[in-house]
Amino acid sequence: QAGQCIFVRWEFQQRRVFDDGEVSQWKPDKCEAHRGNGTVSVNDAPFFLAQPICRIDFLRMNATYQARVREVCTDPNANSEWVLLGENVTTLYAEVPATAPENLTVSNETAYTFLLQWDPGEPGDCY
């Protein structure tokens, strides 16, 4: 039937809100659904439709964002309207810095490459 929505995926976008009130362009964002002890791709439609929740990564620290989401269908004319989050959201300020890696060593030197290895430090608020 024309105009019938057969679910494909959720589409999420975010944009940054600056201190002067200006906003960036809407940016499509990867969004993963969370299920128990792992994640599931947004292409896993039956689960993702039933569990519309996601974590947005790689945002700036202490920055304000707007977010919106819509349902995407096989027929683009049947896509839902965008729904805008009712309030802006601000990410937290990282207070505990990560500690430096230790024991940096080099091995397997060739004419064009070498291998670096190290012991990671504590992540602090870096996650």
Side-chain angles (χ1 to χ4, degrees), residues 10 30-42 44 47-57:
W10 294 107
K30 180 180 178 185
C31 183
E32 292 182 341
H34 291 266
R35 170 172 56 187
N37 59 357
T39 61
V40 60
S41 167
V42 295
D44 188 357
F47 171 76
F48 201 69
L49 183 58
Q51 299 292 325
I53 184 172
C54 69
R55 184 185 72 212
I56 308 308
D57 294 320

Side-chain angles (χ1 to χ4, degrees), residues 8-111:
V8 174
R9 63 184 168 84
W10 294 107
E11 183 176 14
F12 170 82
Q13 294 182 343
Q14 53 86 5
R15 68 180 176 184
R16 183 136 178 234
V17 180
F18 298 96
D19 292 339
D20 63 4
E22 294 291 319
V23 294
S24 65
Q25 295 291 322
W26 285 108
K27 175 186 161 193
D29 216 318
K30 180 180 178 185
C31 183
E32 292 182 341
H34 291 266
R35 170 172 56 187
N37 59 357
T39 61
V40 60
S41 167
V42 295
N43 295 324
D44 188 357
F47 171 76
F48 201 69
L49 183 58
Q51 299 292 325
I53 184 172
C54 69
R55 184 185 72 212
I56 308 308
D57 294 320
F58 306 110
L59 301 174
R60 290 188 165 274
M61 171 182 64
N62 196 34
T64 301
Y65 293 88
Q66 292 178 337
R68 67 183 185 176
V69 66
R70 72 175 175 174
E71 185 174 341
V72 175
C73 304
T74 54
D75 178 354
N77 294 319
N79 290 352
S80 75
E81 296 292 322
W82 287 102
V83 62
L84 182 65
L85 183 64
E87 58 190 53
N88 294 344
V89 61
T90 301
T91 56
L92 301 176
Y93 183 80
E95 295 179 10
V96 180
T99 59
E102 298 176 337
N103 303 317
L104 182 61
T105 59
V106 64
S107 61
N108 297 336
E109 297 95 339
T110 72

